[in-house]
Amino acid sequence: MPVSALDAELEWNSPMYQLAVAQLDRTAERMRLDANLWTRLRSPQRAYVVSFPFRRDDYQTVGTVFGYRVQHLLTMGPTKGGIRYALDVDLGEVTALAMWMTWKCAIVGLPFGGAKGGVRIDPGSLSRRELQRITRRYVSEIVDVIGPERDIPAPDMGTDEQVMAWIMDTYSQQKGYTVPGVVTGKPPELGGSLGRREATGRGVITCAAEACRVLGMSLEGARVVVQGYGQVGSAAAAIAVQHGARVVAVSDVEGGIYAPQGLDLAAVHRWVRENRFLRGFPGADPVTNQELLLLPCEVLIPAAAGTQITAHNADLLQCRILAEGANGPTTLEADAILGARGVFVIPDILANAGGVTVSYFEWVQDLQEDFWDEEKVNERLTRKITRAFRETLERAKKHKVHMRRGAYAVAVSRVAEATALRGVYP
Ligand code: NAD
C-alpha cells in the first residue's frame, strides 16, 4: 500500500479525490499492483493552476478567476478530458475527474490518458459575452499545455459546443492557423463529429440495454428516471424513449418533474427552450432532486453532479439498474449498500464513456480531414461500448465482483501493462 498517511496533505486532496483514490486502491490491492506504479497512478502527472483577471460587461468591474487543467497520465498517448465551469470546481475535483478519464479511455481501448479542466465560476450568472471572454482568457493561460498531440479538451458540466468553438478559435488564433483537433465536442460546422452531442447519453442507454439483457428484462416498457436534464441527461432520456422505454421523471438544478404515465419529451424540450428550467412544466408533478432518486423505476440515471447517492439514500433507491451518466455520483458506502441489495450498477467509467469515445472519433476525423456520416459514428460507438460492457462483465464474473470492480480491473491492468512495456526513463 503506498503512502496514504500523506493524502490529507496533498494539494489535490478533496472528497472527490478520496473517492477516486479509494476506488483505485481496492483494485490495486487485489491485483498486487507494483507499488511504484500504484503511487504514480494515485497522483496527477501534471497539474496546472492559473488565475487571471476577468472583466464584467459593465467594463468597470474586474475580478480574479481560478482555472485548472490536470493531466493524470501521459503514458497512453495524448491526454483527453472535459472542461467544467462551476462554482465549486477545485484542484481536487479536477484531479479526480482526470483520473476517471484515464480508466474510461482504457476500458474502451482509446489511445489517450486522462485529463480534466475547470474554471471556478457560475456559468449561469454570466452573459454570453462574459462567457466568451472568460473562455478565451482561460485558453490563453493553458495554451502551451493543450494541443492535438498533447491534451485535447471537450465539454463537461457548464460548457457546450459554443464554448468548444471559442476554445478552438482562441488556440488557432494563437498558433496562426486553424487547428480543429485541439478540442472535441465542437459544432459539426467547425469539424465536430456528427453524433457527439448525443454520444454520452447513447453510451449510457447502450449499457442500460446490455444490463437489461443480463437481468432477463427488456428496456422496452421499462420506467426510466433521469437526474440532470443537460447534455447527457436529455440525450439519454430521448434515446431511452427510442428504445421503447418510459421516461417518468427528469430534473435540473432547480428540481424535477414526475409523470408516472411517462413524460412527453418533445413538450419538455420545448418548455426548457422557452423557460430555461423544468419548473412549472404542466402535466407533471414537481419533485425535489432527492425525491426523484427514490422514485420507483427500472433504470435510474444520475446525470448531474457528483456524490448524489450516499449512505443516507442508497437503502431507499427503488431502481433495478443504476446507470451512472454523471461522474462520481455514488459514494463508496452507497456502492456497498447497492451491491448488497442486488442493484445492478453500471459504473461511471463505463456508462458515460460514450462521450470520450465519439470525442476520439472526432479527433481522428479532424486529423484525417475525412468526416463520417452519423450512422457510422453511432454504429462504431455502440460496438465499442457493447464490447467494453461485455469485457467488464466477463472480468466481474471471473473475479466474482460487481461491475465497478470489474471495470477497474480491466482499466488498471491495461494501463499497468502499457506502463511496464514503456519502462522507466532514463
Ligand atoms: P450539463 O451542464 O449539460 O447539464 C447538467 C444538468 O444537471 C443540468 O440540467 C443542471 O441543471 C443539472 N444540475 C447541476 N447541478 C445539479 C445538482 N446539484 N442537482 C441536480 N441537478 C443538477 O452537464 P453534462 O455535460 O450533461 O454533464 C452531466 C454529468 O455527466 C457530469 O457529471 C459530467 O461530468 C458527466 N459527463 C458528461 C459528459 C459529456 O459529454 N458532457 C461525458 C461524460 C460524463
Side-chain angles (χ1 to χ4, degrees), residues 63-343:
T64 298
V65 173
F66 297 104
Y68 308 88
R69 186 72 189 169
V70 171
Q71 297 165 351
H72 174 242
L73 184 75
L74 281 74
T75 306
M76 312 298 285
T79 48
K80 184 96 195 69
I83 292 178
R84 176 175 286 198
Y85 286 180
L87 254 190
D88 54 3
V89 160
D90 60 23
L91 184 60
E93 179 174 288
V94 176
T95 300
L97 291 163
M99 199 182 286
W100 284 325
M101 284 306 299
T102 295
W103 314 137
K104 233 176 265 189
C105 294
I107 284 183
V108 190
L110 308 178
F112 296 132
K116 206 76 180 191
V119 179
R120 195 187 295 173
I121 39 138
D122 171 12
S125 71
L126 302 180
S127 72
R128 201 176 158 81
R129 278 180 303 180
E130 289 174 331
L131 196 63
Q132 176 168 179
R133 276 204 298 283
I134 216 163
T135 299
R136 290 188 183 278
R137 181 62 195 247
Y138 168 64
V139 174
S140 303
E141 295 294 334
I142 61 165
V143 73
D144 289 335
V145 301
I146 59 172
E149 281 95 28
R150 285 171 179 254
D151 180 11
I152 307 126
D156 193 75
M157 248 164 71
T159 59
D160 58 12
E161 282 187 2
Q162 178 59 74
V163 172
M164 298 307 116
W166 291 327
I167 293 176
M168 187 275 235
D169 184 66
T170 308
Y171 186 87
S172 299
Q173 296 293 348
Q174 302 223 0
K175 293 293 163 188
Y177 54 94
T178 297
V179 190
V182 65
V183 75
T184 58
K186 301 178 293 293
E189 295 80 355
L190 297 178
S193 179
L194 296 174
R196 172 62 183 89
R197 208 171 287 164
E198 302 81 18
T200 310
R202 189 174 298 282
V204 171
I205 298 303
T206 302
C207 287
E210 282 291 304
C212 284
R213 201 178 50 82
V214 173
L215 297 173
M217 312 161 28
S218 173
L219 191 52
E220 203 179 330
R223 290 165 301 173
V224 175
V225 167
V226 183
Q227 185 193 49
Y229 197 65
Q231 297 164 89
V232 177
S234 63
I239 294 164
V241 168
Q242 286 167 18
H243 279 72
R246 186 155 44 107
V247 175
V248 294
V250 296
S251 72
D252 59 32
V253 68
E254 302 274 313
I257 51 173
Y258 176 45
Q261 75 284 5
L263 290 160
D264 173 357
L265 287 185
V268 173
H269 187 73
R270 275 196 303 279
W271 179 267
V272 172
R273 211 175 44 213
E274 282 158 22
N275 301 282
R276 193 164 167 213
F277 295 109
L278 294 159
R279 192 178 40 208
F281 176 76
D285 296 326
V287 281
T288 66
N289 264 297
Q290 280 310 307
E291 288 163 352
L292 173 125
L293 295 173
L294 311 183
L295 291 172
C297 62
E298 279 68 48
V299 183
L300 174 62
I301 303 175
T307 55
Q308 296 296 298
I309 299 159
T310 66
H312 296 296
N313 60 9
D315 253 336
L316 305 171
L317 261 53
Q318 299 193 57
C319 59
R320 186 73 191 84
I321 295 167
L322 177 69
E324 296 183 338
N327 285 307
T330 310
T331 65
L332 274 189
E333 298 77 20
D335 211 23
I337 296 169
L338 296 175
R341 291 187 53 211
V343 175

